[in-house]
Amino acid sequence: LKSKLKSTTTYNRYIGDVNTINDESTRGKVVVQIKSDSIRLGDVIMVKGKLKAFSSVKNIGQFNYSKYMQSQGIEGQFFVQDYTIVGKQNSFILVINSWRAKLLESIQNNSELSTYSKGFVSALLLGDRGGIDELTQNAFKELGVMHVLAISGLHIGIIYMFMLVVLERAPKRIRTIAIVLFL
């Protein structure tokens, strides 16, 4: 599993690479929809389930999600019924995505922030606009400052990773305080 997508009420959603289907070697990307919370980025899993195409456009002028996913190199979506973790994959991108997922999770689990604040903090720090309601997103778009959320998230993420490396040997509490103050 390469990266995490916004979850639904029923499924956790990931983007993953496909290596084999029915013992035949193949290549491609799919959205993996799974009910389990024990899956982590980088896990190599063997799954049983149904591979489905994305639904096609039903109205003229409607956003074509299927075409968008194809442009991203994603072939379809896999609804997992059963799985087995068979290995772990490591790469620089997976490490960064894993850190990002942990940061998002810690923001979402913070009991001191309101739901609105959690979404806003996630957008500003990590560029994840999924927690911002549609009304607020439309206000940002109308003001022409929507780019602030994505650009800020990207830059803050890069600075955060740099600071983690620089302060690697510092005690965790001092490192955390220094990074928060610097950001």
Side-chain angles (χ1 to χ4, degrees):
L1 301 172
K2 296 279 187 183
S3 61
K4 188 161 179 23
L5 299 173
K6 185 177 179 184
S7 297
T8 65
T9 54
T10 310
Y11 292 100
N12 288 316
R13 300 173 63 228
Y14 301 90
I15 293 178
D17 290 333
V18 177
N19 296 325
T20 58
I21 296 178
N22 295 331
D23 295 327
E24 289 186 33
S25 184
T26 187
R27 285 207 165 295
K29 288 189 213 176
V30 293
V31 172
V32 178
Q33 303 211 35
I34 190 165
K35 292 182 181 181
S36 173
D37 287 329
S38 61
I39 299 287
R40 298 288 175 248
L41 291 177
D43 285 348
V44 177
I45 58 175
M46 183 170 45
V47 298
K48 291 181 185 176
K50 295 180 182 175
L51 182 62
K52 293 184 178 180
F54 296 104
S55 58
S56 59
V57 175
K58 302 212 183 332
N59 298 319
I60 296 172
Q62 181 181 5
F63 176 70
N64 192 334
Y65 186 65
S66 177
K67 194 178 229 180
Y68 169 75
M69 293 307 269
Q70 285 179 345
S71 74
Q72 301 296 311
I74 300 171
E75 312 281 329
Q77 51 192 337
F78 201 88
F79 291 88
V80 176
Q81 296 167 347
D82 190 26
Y83 70 94
T84 304
I85 298 174
V86 295
K88 184 89 172 150
Q89 188 179 37
N90 283 323
S91 73
F92 182 69
I93 297 297
L94 282 172
V95 169
I96 289 179
N97 281 335
S98 179
W99 285 347
R100 183 177 186 273
K102 286 177 186 175
L103 284 171
L104 279 171
E105 187 177 323
S106 68
I107 291 168
Q108 295 306 316
N109 292 336
N110 187 321
S111 61
E112 296 176 17
L113 294 174
S114 68
T115 302
Y116 177 80
S117 296
K118 289 176 185 179
F120 204 69
V121 168
S122 295
L124 284 175
L125 294 179
L126 301 168
D128 178 30
R129 296 179 292 204
I132 295 180
D133 61 80
E134 194 172 328
L135 183 65
T136 304
Q137 284 192 36
N138 287 337
F140 270 87
K141 286 177 189 173
E142 288 176 20
L143 292 171
V145 292
M146 186 61 138
H147 65 281
V148 169
L149 297 178
I151 293 172
S152 293
L154 173 65
H155 290 122
I156 295 293
I158 291 169
I159 293 168
Y160 175 78
M161 294 302 162
F162 176 75
M163 292 298 295
L164 273 179
V165 171
V166 169
L167 299 171
E168 182 179 356
R169 297 183 190 266
K172 186 175 182 177
R173 189 168 201 192
I174 292 171
R175 182 175 58 219
T176 302
I177 292 169
I179 290 173
V180 168
L181 290 175
F182 186 79
L183 292 176

